[in-house]
Amino acid sequence: MELGTRNRTGTLGRRAFGALAGTTVLGLALGGSGAGGAAGTPAGARRPVPTGPPPARPAADGVRHRVETDRHSLLVDGRRLVLLAGEAHPFRLPGPSLWRDVLEKLRAHGGTAVVAVLDRRQLTPFPGHDDVGGVHGLDRFLRLAAGAGLYVVLRPVPRPGPDAEAWLSRVHAVAARHLYTRGTGTVLLYRTGATGPGETARLRERLRADGLDLPLVPDGSPLARGEVRGAADPAAVRLGQLDALGAGPAVHTVGTFFGGTSWGWLPGPPAPGPVYDPTAPLDEARRPTGRMAPVHQFGHLLRHVPDLARLTEARGGGARDARLRVRHLANPDTGARFHVLANDSAEDVTSTVPLDGRPVPVTVPAGDARLLASGLPLGAGPRLAYATVQPMAVLSAGRQDIAVFAGRTGETAQVVLDCPGEPWPSRLDDEAAWAYDHGRLHVTAPLPAGRPVRVRVRGADSERPLLLVLADDAASLRLWPYETPSGPGLVHGPELLREAVVDGQTLRLTGDTGDECPLRVWAPRGVTAVTWNGRPVRTVVDRDGSLRARRPLPGVPEPALPALDGWRRRAENPQSAPDDDDGWTLADRRTPASSTPVPEGQPVLFAEEYGLPHGDVWYRGRLRGAAGLEWVSLAHRAGPRGLVMAWLDGEPLGVHRTGGAGIDTARFAVPRRLRERLRSAPGTPLLAVLVRRTRDPEEGPGGADGRTASGLVSAAFGGVSPEVRWRVGGPPAPDPVRGPLNTGGLCGEREGWHLPGLDEAGWEPVAAPRAEPRQGVAWYRTGFRLDVPPEVDASVALVLDGVSGARVQVFLNGWNLGEYGDDGQGLVLPGGVLRTRAARNTLALAVLSDGSAAAGPASARLVTRGVAAGGVPVDRVPAPGRTASQPGPAGFSAAGSRSRTGVPGRW
C-alpha cells in the first residue's frame, strides 16, 4: 500500500501526522467478535481499559476470544494490544517448509503479526480451479503462523475477473478454520484495499456470509496507517516507525518483512532481477539486512513496554531547533512520557529538549528519528527520569528487572534514574560510568560496536536489582527477549533465538548460530540449567544474574560447493522459420475484451484474449503483398522490462527493449538483401515475433478481466501495406505441480527442456553456458550434487559471470526461478526446490540473446549467501521430470499441437 500522504522514505507526511492525532474512534468494521464502543471505551465497558501487560502470544488454543478496539489500541480479551506486523508473501518462497523459518524470524525480531498476502494469479493453475494447497498451501501457512505465536492479518489480492469470487470463496473457506475469535487459529484481521462505504458494507456482509468473524481494515483507515514501506536505509525505517507511533495506530506494519523472489512469471517490480523488494528487512536468502535493527528494536519495544498501548497528546516538549519535529505523548495510567524527535533535514541536528522538566541536549542524525522516554516504570525499582537512547524492552527475569536501551554505535548513552535513596551501582563493563546527585543516578556509556554495556543497580528503594543493558544496533540484534509460562527472560549471543521452553529446572533454547558466539541467559526463577538445540551447555552464574556459557557456542563452516561443469547446449526458436503453422491459434478477433484500444481495421492481438496471460508469446504473421517492404513497426505492451525480437522469413530483424509500462513501438528496418529477395520471389513471407512480457506489481491481468492487455497491439509497414494473417502461440497447459506461472511459451519449455529426466542425446557438450553471437534462444543444461549436513541451514545462490545484454531464465529441477539479475548477489536457489542432501539437481538456462554479443554467461558458479547451524527441517518440493510417456509439460507431445490427454495445443 502506498499512501498519498507519505514521502519517499515511507514516513507519514506532516498533514497526516497532525490529522491522525485527532482520531477518536478507529474506523473498523467489526464482525461478531464485538464492536468497539465510544471513543476510548469498548462495548459494554464502564471505563477505559487501563494500561497493563499485553495478552499472551496467540495460539490455536480452543478458547473463544473477544476482539474490540478503541482509539488507542486493539483490545483482546480486555487487554491492550499494539501489533508490529510484517508482510510476507508465501507464494514468493516455493518451499513451504521454509515458511516456518520466515515466521519464526519475524517473531524473534519483535513481530507479533504476519500480513499474509495472497495473489489469485499465482493460485489459479487452471481456469475454474483455485489451488490453495501444495506450494500454495494456505492452510499450512496459517497453521505455521499459529505455531509461531503470530496473529494473522489476511490480505487477499483477488484482482478483477470472472474467477475472483470463486477464488475468494476458497480462501475464505480455509481462513474460516483458523479464526482467533473461535480459538481455532490466529487469523485476527482482514485487510483490504481502499473501499467506499458501499463496498465496505458489501464486503462486511460477504465476510459474515462466509463465516469470517473478523474486523475489516480498509486501506486508509486509521488502523492501517502505521505502515513503513520502501525505506532506503535504517534511518528511514526508524523515521517512519516513530512518525507512525506518534500518530497512534494499533497496527504498525513493516511493509514487506520478507518478499522473496518473483520466481517464474510472478509480477515483480520494474527493476532488474527477480528480488521482489530489496528494502525488506529479511532478504531473499532469509538473512537479516541492515534495515533489521530498527525493526527489531521497535517490535520488542511495542511488545515489552505496554505504556505505548495508550498514548495521548501532552503539552510542551518542543525542541529549540525548528528543524526537529517533536511529538510529546503521555500515558495517562502510568505517567510515562515519550518524545518523538524527527529530523527531515539533510544535516545532523543537535538541540535541547525538555525531558522531565530539564533541557537535555540531543543529537538526531540527518533523515533519522529518536524516541526519548521519561517517567517510565522500569519494574519494581527505580523509575526512568529520562534517557537519550531508545528503550527496547523492560522485563522481569528471575529475581531482577532488566531494562534494555538501544542507540547508534559510538554515541554516548545517558540513562537517568529517579532514586530517592542512594543506590549501589555495579559496573559490569568498563565503558560505564555514573554519578549520583539530588536523588538521581546518572549512568553514561559510549556504545561500543556489537557489544552491550551492563550496569547493575541495587538500593534501599527496592529489594529487586535493576540491570541496565545498553546496546548499539549490532548488539541489539543479538539480544533476544522471550516469554514462557514461567516468566520472561533475555538471551544474548546467538544469531537467532527461535524458542525458549522451561522444562523443570532446565531452559531449553533452540536457534541459529553462524560464527562462534557467546551465550548468556537471564532466565525465570528456578532455572539452573540450559540446553542449546538439544545439547547441554555448561554454565556459570555471572555477576549480572545470568547463566553464562563457559565456552562459546560453536560456529559452522561453509559447505563445500561443487563446480558447475558438464554443460550441454541446444539452440531453439524454430517458430521463426517459415514453415507450416496450421496448428497455431488464429488471431482473428475484432472486438477486444480489455480496455486497451485496437487500431481500426486490425485484429485483436493481445495475448490474454487467446488464453495466454503470462510468459513469452510468439506471433506469426503471413504477409500477402509484401514486395517493396522497407520496415516493420510493432506497437506492443510488454511491461517495464519487456523484450521484442523479430524475424522475417527466418532472417533476424533485430531486438527492441521496452522501458516503461505503457504501449511502446519497435521499428525494424528490412535488410537490403531481404528486400531484394521479396521483390524477386514475393510469395507470402513470414513475420515472426517473440514478445517477452513483464508486469508492474500493481497491474492486474488483462484481456477478459477488463484491464490493460499485453503482447502485440498493432503492426504497421513501410513501403507497402500488406495483408496480414496472424497466428499466436504461447505456454502449454499449466504445470499441475509447479503452477500456472512456471512455464512460458518458449519451444524448449513446451518440449520439457527445463525438466529433470530429459534425454540429452543430441545436445552439444560445451565448456561454459556461452556460444557465438546469435539472435534468438539457446538452452544450456547441467547437473550437480550438494551434501549439506541436516543441522546446517545453507542459503545457496547461483552467480552467472559475464552476462551482457542477454536475458537468462533460470530453471532448477524444473522450477522457473525467474530472470537472472546481474546485481552481483546471485539468484537464490530456494531450499526444498534445491536438493541439499546428496541428491542430484538439474540446472537449465534459457538464454535470449540479441546477437550483439556472445549468447550466454561466460561462467556459472554456486556461492553461499549465509550459513547457520540450526534452521528448520526442509521438505523436498515435488519436481516431476520429463519421461518417455510424458515428453513435455502437462503431457504435451513433441509436436506441441495436441496433448496426449486431449488438451488442445496453442501453436
Side-chain angles (χ1 to χ4, degrees):
M1 177 191 70
E2 293 291 347
L3 299 176
T5 56
R6 295 192 181 277
N7 60 28
R8 287 182 296 176
T9 65
T11 60
L12 288 173
R14 292 176 183 265
R15 189 171 300 174
F17 195 99
L20 286 176
T23 301
T24 57
V25 180
L26 289 174
L28 288 176
L30 295 174
S33 60
T41 307
R46 295 182 179 179
R47 59 182 180 82
V49 173
T51 300
R57 290 277 184 180
D61 53 13
V63 177
R64 286 188 172 270
H65 299 279
R66 185 174 181 83
V67 181
E68 303 167 299
T69 184
D70 66 7
R71 66 184 295 263
H72 302 290
S73 69
L74 294 170
L75 302 170
V76 175
D77 297 331
R79 291 189 177 187
R80 292 198 174 276
L81 176 66
V82 177
L83 297 177
L84 178 72
E87 186 177 287
H89 300 194
F91 57 90
R92 296 190 193 277
L93 180 58
S97 57
L98 291 178
W99 295 346
R100 175 183 162 191
D101 181 63
V102 171
L103 293 169
E104 289 182 354
K105 286 174 178 174
L106 172 59
R107 181 197 61 201
H109 287 292
T112 44
V114 59
V115 181
V117 179
L118 312 173
D119 192 313
R120 179 175 66 87
R121 280 172 290 177
Q122 202 269 344
L123 301 176
T124 308
F126 307 101
H129 175 80
D130 299 311
D131 186 4
V132 290
V135 296
H136 317 135
L138 177 58
D139 186 85
R140 181 175 184 173
F141 184 82
L142 297 180
R143 283 189 284 108
L144 288 172
L150 292 171
Y151 295 100
V152 175
V153 180
L154 198 67
R155 183 162 193 169
V157 186
R159 312 287 183 179
D163 297 324
E165 290 301 309
W167 174 80
L168 208 55
S169 294
R170 288 287 306 280
V171 170
H172 288 176
V174 175
R177 301 196 295 266
H178 298 271
L179 297 182
Y180 181 67
T181 52
R182 298 178 185 174
T184 55
T186 59
V187 178
L188 181 72
L189 301 172
Y190 192 100
R191 184 75 179 270
T192 184
T195 57
E199 189 176 355
T200 300
R202 287 191 295 273
L203 182 55
R204 185 186 306 132
E205 291 302 317
R206 168 70 183 274
L207 293 179
R208 288 173 176 168
D210 288 348
L212 294 183
D213 188 20
L214 292 174
L216 179 62
V217 186
D219 285 354
S221 67
L223 191 61
R225 289 178 181 170
E227 183 173 55
V228 180
R229 183 180 294 276
D233 52 37
V237 175
R238 196 158 30 242
L239 181 62
Q241 288 174 335
L242 296 182
D243 264 355
L245 178 65
V251 179
H252 296 263
T253 305
V254 189
T256 307
F257 179 81
F258 172 80
T261 58
S262 296
W263 60 274
W265 297 108
L266 280 171
V275 177
Y276 173 72
D277 188 349
T279 70
L282 200 68
D283 68 13
E284 67 278 11
R286 298 174 288 110
R287 303 297 171 185
T289 69
R291 297 169 181 81
M292 185 63 82
V295 173
H296 182 83
Q297 296 161 12
F298 190 65
H300 286 295
L301 171 71
L302 293 176
R303 181 68 185 173
H304 297 284
V305 181
D307 308 71
L308 296 167
R310 188 176 183 225
L311 295 177
T312 60
E313 290 287 340
R315 294 182 179 180
R320 289 201 171 196
D321 195 313
R323 289 175 296 175
L324 294 183
R325 291 187 288 111
V326 181
R327 197 73 180 275
H328 189 193
L329 304 164
N331 185 297
D333 301 323
T334 67
R337 297 177 301 281
F338 300 91
H339 288 75
V340 176
L341 280 60
N343 179 8
D344 296 320
S345 75
E347 299 176 341
D348 295 356
V349 175
T350 299
S351 182
T352 59
V353 180
L355 298 177
D356 200 42
R358 303 185 182 189
V360 177
V362 178
T363 299
V364 183
D368 208 331
R370 284 190 184 278
L371 177 68
L372 308 180
S374 57
L376 181 67
L378 300 181
R383 181 178 288 259
L384 178 69
Y386 64 86
T388 60
V389 282
Q390 177 176 310
M392 176 176 142
V394 178
L395 52 91
S396 296
R399 299 180 183 274
Q400 68 180 347
D401 299 321
I402 302 175
V404 182
F405 295 84
R408 311 294 81 75
T409 304
E411 74 173 313
T412 298
Q414 300 181 51
V415 178
V416 181
L417 305 179
D418 280 324
C419 300
E422 185 169 356
W424 177 21
S426 299
R427 178 189 292 113
L428 304 177
D429 295 288
D430 293 339
E431 292 83 359
W434 60 80
Y436 181 72
D437 181 45
H438 292 87
R440 287 188 168 178
L441 178 67
H442 297 255
V443 178
T444 60
L447 299 181
R451 179 173 56 82
V453 177
R454 297 157 299 150
V455 176
R456 199 179 196 200
V457 180
R458 287 176 286 181
D461 297 331
S462 173
E463 295 181 358
R464 291 179 62 84
L466 171 65
L467 179 68
L468 298 177
V469 181
L470 313 177
D472 74 338
D473 285 347
S476 74
L477 285 171
R478 295 299 182 103
L479 289 167
W480 306 101
Y482 64 87
E483 301 167 61
T484 74
S486 301
L490 181 68
V491 168
H492 170 248
E495 186 175 291
L496 181 73
L497 178 67
R498 294 182 182 273
E499 189 176 32
V501 176
V502 175
D503 181 6
Q505 294 182 326
T506 300
L507 180 64
R508 303 191 183 279
L509 303 176
T510 58
D512 298 357
T513 57
D515 299 329
E516 184 180 82
C517 66
L519 176 66
R520 186 183 298 274
V521 178
W522 291 274
R525 185 177 298 186
V527 170
T528 59
V530 175
T531 66
W532 177 258
N533 287 342
R535 296 182 178 181
V537 177
R538 294 184 62 192
T539 62
V540 296
V541 178
D542 211 345
R543 289 190 301 156
D544 60 6
S546 68
L547 297 173
R548 175 175 57 84
R550 290 179 178 269
R551 293 183 179 181
L553 297 178
V556 57
E558 293 193 358
L561 300 179
L564 296 180
D565 50 22
W567 290 95
R568 289 180 173 270
R569 173 184 179 273
R570 185 171 180 179
E572 66 142 86
N573 58 283
Q575 296 88 347
S576 64
D579 55 5
D580 180 68
D581 54 17
D582 287 344
W584 290 48
T585 299
L586 184 64
D588 58 355
R589 298 186 180 182
R590 293 293 168 178
T591 303
S594 78
S595 60
T596 304
V598 176
E600 185 176 355
Q602 297 214 24
V604 175
L605 298 177
F606 309 138
E608 287 87 347
E609 306 274 351
Y610 300 97
L612 308 173
H614 62 268
D616 297 313
V617 60
W618 278 93
Y619 294 87
R620 288 165 62 94
R622 294 288 180 178
L623 310 184
R624 186 180 301 275
L629 181 63
E630 298 178 356
W631 51 261
V632 175
S633 179
L634 302 172
H636 61 275
R637 195 171 187 275
R641 277 179 49 80
L643 190 74
V644 176
M645 292 183 174
W647 292 260
L648 186 60
D649 254 9
E651 295 287 335
L653 295 182
V655 176
H656 173 82
R657 293 175 173 82
T658 63
I663 295 177
D664 200 354
T665 301
R667 178 164 168 161
F668 303 106
V670 178
R672 181 176 178 179
R673 67 180 183 280
L674 191 51
R675 294 202 305 268
E676 293 175 351
R677 193 169 81 194
L678 293 177
R679 289 191 183 95
S680 61
T684 55
L686 173 72
L687 174 63
V689 181
L690 173 62
V691 180
R692 165 153 290 189
R693 297 171 291 168
T694 62
R695 285 195 180 276
D696 185 275
E698 298 303 323
E699 238 178 76
D705 288 336
R707 303 290 295 274
T708 52
S710 65
L712 288 187
V713 176
S714 62
F717 304 91
V720 293
S721 298
E723 178 186 342
V724 188
R725 184 179 178 85
W726 289 101
R727 292 183 182 271
V728 62
D735 188 312
V737 172
R738 299 175 179 93
L741 302 182
N742 191 76
T743 312
L746 300 178
C747 173
E749 291 175 286
R750 295 183 58 84
E751 297 298 322
W753 292 358
H754 60 301
L755 298 176
L758 177 72
D759 182 359
E760 295 176 356
W763 286 59
E764 173 192 4
V766 292
R770 169 173 282 191
E772 71 283 351
R774 170 182 175 271
Q775 178 182 311
V777 186
W779 283 77
Y780 301 86
R781 286 174 58 97
T782 190
F784 63 91
R785 290 178 181 271
L786 292 176
D787 191 7
V788 179
E791 69 275 8
V792 173
D793 179 9
S795 182
V796 179
L798 171 69
V799 174
L800 302 179
D801 300 307
V803 178
S804 57
R807 298 286 183 84
V808 182
Q809 204 78 12
V810 179
F811 296 85
L812 179 66
N813 296 325
W815 284 84
N816 184 345
L817 300 186
E819 186 178 300
Y820 186 83
D822 191 13
D823 58 2
Q825 296 293 310
L827 176 63
V828 171
L829 308 179
V833 173
L834 176 68
R835 310 318 195 201
T836 60
R837 308 289 186 251
R840 178 178 173 81
N841 293 275
T842 299
L843 178 64
L845 309 178
V847 179
L848 277 66
S849 177
D850 61 7
S852 64
S859 63
R861 54 196 169 91
L862 299 176
V863 300
T864 55
R865 285 280 298 273
V867 181
V872 299
V874 179
D875 301 331
R876 283 194 180 189
V877 175
R882 190 181 194 274
T883 64
S885 62
Q886 188 180 359
F892 275 82
S893 66
S897 60
R898 184 169 294 275
S899 123
R900 298 187 179 215
T901 58
V903 180
R906 286 178 178 164
W907 286 133

